[in-house]
Amino acid sequence: MAVAARAQWKGYIRFGEVTAPVALYTATSTSERISFHTVNRKTGNRVRREFVDGVTGKPVEKEDQVKGYELDNDRYVVLEPEEVASAVPESDKTLHVQAFISCDDIDKVYFDRPYYLTPDKMGTEAYALLRDGMRKKEVAAIAQTVLFRRMRTVLLRTHDKGLIATTLNFDYEVRSAKEAFKEIPDIKIKGEMLDLAKHIIGMKKGTFSAEEFDDRYEAALAELIKAKLEGKTLPKRAPPKVSKPNELLEALRQSAGFKPAAESKGREGKAAAKGRAKATRSTAAKAKSKATAKSAPAQRRRAS
């Protein structure tokens, strides 16, 4: 993906007494996604959005729109634009490296948004010095600066020929994992089920390649729009079948490549029936042979 032509932020990076001019470019973009406008179903015209007073219902002009912090129902502390601006931290436009840490020290749940951190021509050598030093020591860097009106903590990691700067969520923004998982019962999986699960994981082991994964939602939207233009309707998809607890072991066996129990029993039954039929035929043949042998002397006596 090409780097955006316009930097999201320009400033400096400082580690020790070394300072280099740098810029941040967004590493991800949603501009290629299918987007929609809200339109009037009756006229087909695009709907214009406007702010209206919640009580009077009358439109509110832009110059009368201010920020308000809700105390309780319909009671607000009103903040003027200049008051909000005064709360923005002072910035020297510098990413101050606070520490170098192990690349695995930070739980990825704190990761917010990635940016490409690139050097200005005047700072290329200092930038390369930081990049190569971090790569040699196999470390990441923690830095802080004011980004987009807020003090942000940033994780710097080496990537290809440059550095990736990932903004980090604050601790109060990350919800507790204990709270999220508290309803999960303590279940210990062991025996055949665990062995099968490990076997399936081993079978599916691979590597991540972003181009191999498609945005199925985008593709589905494109198919839907095409069908609507052609006056067609798309078939409804059946919901996935959920594995019930009593079906889990059989589902694992099938995932591991073993035949379903019913099919195996069916094949075993057919084989047994075939074996019984063969044994019956063999017994009948032996009985016939004995009967023939017994009747032979009588036939010879009558002949004589």
Side-chain angles (χ1 to χ4, degrees):
M1 181 187 71
V3 175
R6 183 172 174 272
Q8 297 295 304
W9 178 89
K10 286 187 176 182
Y12 305 88
I13 187 167
R14 183 178 178 86
F15 58 104
E17 296 302 317
V18 179
T19 303
V22 291
L24 286 177
Y25 295 86
T26 53
T28 60
S29 172
T30 59
S31 62
E32 297 300 316
R33 290 181 181 173
I34 293 174
S35 59
F36 298 102
H37 295 296
T38 303
V39 298
N40 185 332
R41 187 197 303 276
K42 295 179 180 178
T43 65
N45 298 327
R46 185 173 173 180
V47 174
R48 181 170 59 87
R49 182 177 297 174
E50 63 180 0
F51 289 92
V52 298
D53 189 292
V55 176
T56 67
K58 295 181 179 179
V60 180
E61 298 299 327
K62 189 171 183 179
E63 59 269 19
D64 293 325
Q65 297 171 15
V66 292
K67 302 292 184 184
Y69 177 79
E70 187 174 12
L71 297 173
D72 49 43
N73 290 338
D74 297 326
R75 290 183 62 237
Y76 299 89
V77 174
V78 175
L79 300 173
E80 297 295 335
E82 58 272 15
E83 293 175 319
V84 175
S86 69
V88 176
E90 291 186 7
S91 173
D92 59 1
K93 303 284 285 184
T94 302
L95 270 166
H96 294 274
V97 175
Q98 307 290 320
F100 294 98
I101 63 172
S102 168
C103 293
D104 298 324
D105 272 1
I106 296 180
D107 191 326
K108 290 180 176 58
V109 73
Y110 285 92
F111 285 18
D112 178 29
R113 190 171 184 182
Y115 295 85
Y116 293 123
L117 183 69
T118 65
D120 182 271
K121 288 182 180 179
M122 294 293 292
T124 303
E125 191 169 350
Y127 176 94
L129 175 66
L130 175 63
R131 177 201 64 201
D132 292 351
M134 288 172 59
R135 183 168 286 150
K136 196 75 174 176
K137 295 292 289 184
E138 297 183 346
V139 296
I142 290 289
Q144 282 191 313
T145 192
V146 175
L147 288 176
F148 319 125
R149 299 169 64 89
R150 298 183 66 189
M151 177 63 75
R152 299 303 303 261
T153 305
V154 179
L155 176 69
L156 304 176
R157 292 169 294 162
T158 60
H159 183 80
D160 198 53
K161 292 173 64 178
L163 295 170
I164 288 281
T166 303
T167 51
L168 300 178
N169 293 310
F170 290 106
D171 189 52
Y172 75 87
E173 294 176 309
V174 177
R175 293 179 176 176
S176 166
K178 289 183 179 179
E179 186 67 22
F181 301 142
K182 68 179 182 180
E183 299 298 330
I184 300 176
D186 291 330
I187 299 175
K188 300 297 182 183
I189 304 297
K190 54 186 179 180
E192 183 184 2
M193 290 181 67
L194 184 59
D195 291 338
L196 285 168
K198 291 190 293 185
H199 177 69
I200 294 164
I201 290 168
M203 290 170 58
K204 292 286 187 180
K205 190 175 181 180
T207 57
F208 173 72
S209 180
E211 59 269 16
E212 293 180 5
F213 296 90
D214 298 324
D215 186 344
R216 191 67 195 92
Y217 178 65
E218 286 291 297
L221 285 177
E223 290 173 11
L224 178 59
I225 293 169
K226 183 175 182 291
K228 292 281 283 187
L229 286 171
E230 296 174 351
K232 300 177 182 177
T233 56
L234 294 176
K236 291 185 178 181
R237 289 174 292 178
K241 183 184 177 183
V242 177
S243 297
K244 298 177 182 177
N246 62 332
E247 300 171 340
L248 193 54
L249 181 57
E250 188 60 41
L252 283 167
R253 287 170 175 165
Q254 291 183 40
S255 300
F258 301 132
K259 299 296 181 184
E263 186 178 334
S264 297
K265 287 179 181 178
R267 290 188 176 181
E268 288 172 6
K270 287 180 181 179
K274 190 175 181 181
R276 286 194 298 271
K278 186 176 180 181
T280 301
R281 288 195 298 270
S282 177
T283 302
K286 287 179 181 178
K288 185 178 180 181
S289 178
K290 286 180 179 179
T292 303
K294 286 180 179 180
S295 62
Q299 288 175 357
R300 283 196 295 270
R301 283 195 298 271
R302 284 197 297 269
S304 60

